[in-house]
């Protein structure tokens, strides 16, 4: 029994040790990747700044090589960021991203060629290679720009379609909220007014306690006295812009 307990405790101890080693290795790898990304980003920033300074400050073959490298790197990086950001929302961009990876291989090869030519001492020979290098750069950057712009136009089209659908739904909801302005409200108001008038005609006495006339109306003297004594209530004056009474609904 004691041997079994010791064995179980030893296995648990070894499991905890193995788990600790595994977690430590994972954390170390994640930290290394973070450091590598930071170093890569810093190196790219330094290279871009150097190329920008060379393209502006140097003339001849050296300045043209720096301009081509800067144009190539800027276009490829912008396209990569746009496709990677959009593929999470639009699965159709995965094929475009695969095509970009193939294009990126040509771009890296061209960038390496341009970088080697920067150290070439024969500037005359380098100048003779510039037209072909410029054509390659333009083809690669043109393809990258086409992919990036197509992805952007696709995202804008989807956003516009979604906005149009949302606007239509809001218009329908706004019309439903304004249901009281329909013909049913007008009919209900007229019916309520007719019922009120019939109830008033059925009364046997007017507001002053005078008996009603033969046809259910107040006598002439009573009407005259009421008109002379009581002025019209300005609050009861109807204007065209006044709201009608909201009809009651039966649930």
């Amino acid at each position: 029994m004691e041997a079994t307990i010791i064995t179980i405790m030893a296995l648990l101890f070894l499991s905890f040790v193995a788990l600790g080693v595994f977690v430590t290795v994972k954390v170390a790898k994640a930290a290394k990747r973070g450091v590598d990304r930071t170093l890569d980003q810093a190196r790219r920033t330094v290279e871009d700044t150097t190329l920008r300074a060379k393209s502006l400050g140097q003339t001849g073959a050296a300045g043209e090589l720096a301009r081509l490298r800067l144009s190539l790197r800027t276009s490829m990086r912008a396209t990569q960021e746009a496709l990677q950001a959009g593929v999470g929302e639009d699965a159709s961009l995965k094929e475009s991203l695969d095509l970009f990876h193939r294009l990126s291989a040509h771009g890296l090869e061209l960038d390496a060629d341009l970088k080697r030519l920067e150290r070439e001492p024969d500037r005359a020979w380098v100048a003779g290679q510039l037209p072909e290098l410029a054509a390659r750069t333009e083809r690669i950057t043109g393809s990258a720009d086409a992919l990036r712009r197509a992805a952007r136009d696709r995202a804008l089209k989807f956003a516009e379609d979604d906005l149009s659908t949302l606007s239509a739904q809001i218009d329908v909801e706004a019309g439903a909220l304004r249901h009281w302005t329909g013909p049913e409200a007008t009919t209900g108001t007229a019916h309520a007014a007719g019922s009120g008038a019939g109830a008033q005609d059925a009364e046997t006495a007017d507001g002053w306690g005078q008996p009603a006339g033969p046809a259910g109306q107040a006598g002439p003297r009573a009407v005259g006295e009421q008109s002379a004594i009581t002025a019209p209530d300005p609050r009861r004056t109807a204007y065209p812009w006044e709201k009608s009474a909201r009809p009651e609904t039966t649930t």
Side-chain angles (χ1 to χ4, degrees), residues 112-164:
D113 292 341
L114 294 173
K115 192 173 183 179
R116 282 194 298 269
L117 290 177
E118 289 180 344
R119 299 187 296 269
E120 175 64 38
D122 190 354
R123 293 301 179 184
W125 181 82
V126 173
Q129 300 296 317
L130 285 179
E132 190 269 337
L133 294 173
R136 285 176 61 191
T137 304
E138 186 175 357
R139 289 182 61 186
I140 295 176
T141 56
S143 298
D145 294 342
L147 280 176
R148 185 177 67 256
R149 291 165 184 167
R152 181 185 59 187
D153 294 342
R154 180 180 177 86
L156 291 176
K157 177 62 176 175
F158 283 165
E160 182 180 357
D161 292 343
D162 183 68
L163 180 59
S164 299

Side-chain angles (χ1 to χ4, degrees), residues 72-209:
L72 176 65
R73 293 162 65 91
T74 302
S75 176
M76 297 296 286
R77 186 177 300 120
T79 303
Q80 182 181 18
E81 292 176 354
L83 293 178
Q84 288 179 348
V87 72
E89 300 179 357
D90 187 0
S92 299
L93 293 180
K94 187 179 183 302
E95 184 177 355
S96 300
L97 190 60
D98 293 338
L99 292 176
F100 173 77
H101 288 159
R102 295 172 56 187
L103 181 66
S104 181
H106 294 277
L108 292 174
E109 181 180 359
L110 175 59
D111 184 69
D113 292 341
L114 294 173
K115 192 173 183 179
R116 282 194 298 269
L117 290 177
E118 289 180 344
R119 299 187 296 269
E120 175 64 38
D122 190 354
R123 293 301 179 184
W125 181 82
V126 173
Q129 300 296 317
L130 285 179
E132 190 269 337
L133 294 173
R136 285 176 61 191
T137 304
E138 186 175 357
R139 289 182 61 186
I140 295 176
T141 56
S143 298
D145 294 342
L147 280 176
R148 185 177 67 256
R149 291 165 184 167
R152 181 185 59 187
D153 294 342
R154 180 180 177 86
L156 291 176
K157 177 62 176 175
F158 283 165
E160 182 180 357
D161 292 343
D162 183 68
L163 180 59
S164 299
T165 303
L166 179 61
S167 298
Q169 293 175 352
I170 290 176
D171 291 340
V172 172
E173 181 64 19
L177 292 175
R178 296 190 180 96
H179 67 280
W180 65 84
T181 60
E184 294 82 358
T186 305
T187 304
T189 304
H191 179 71
S195 299
Q200 184 177 3
D201 291 341
E203 292 179 353
T204 58
D206 61 7
W208 294 98

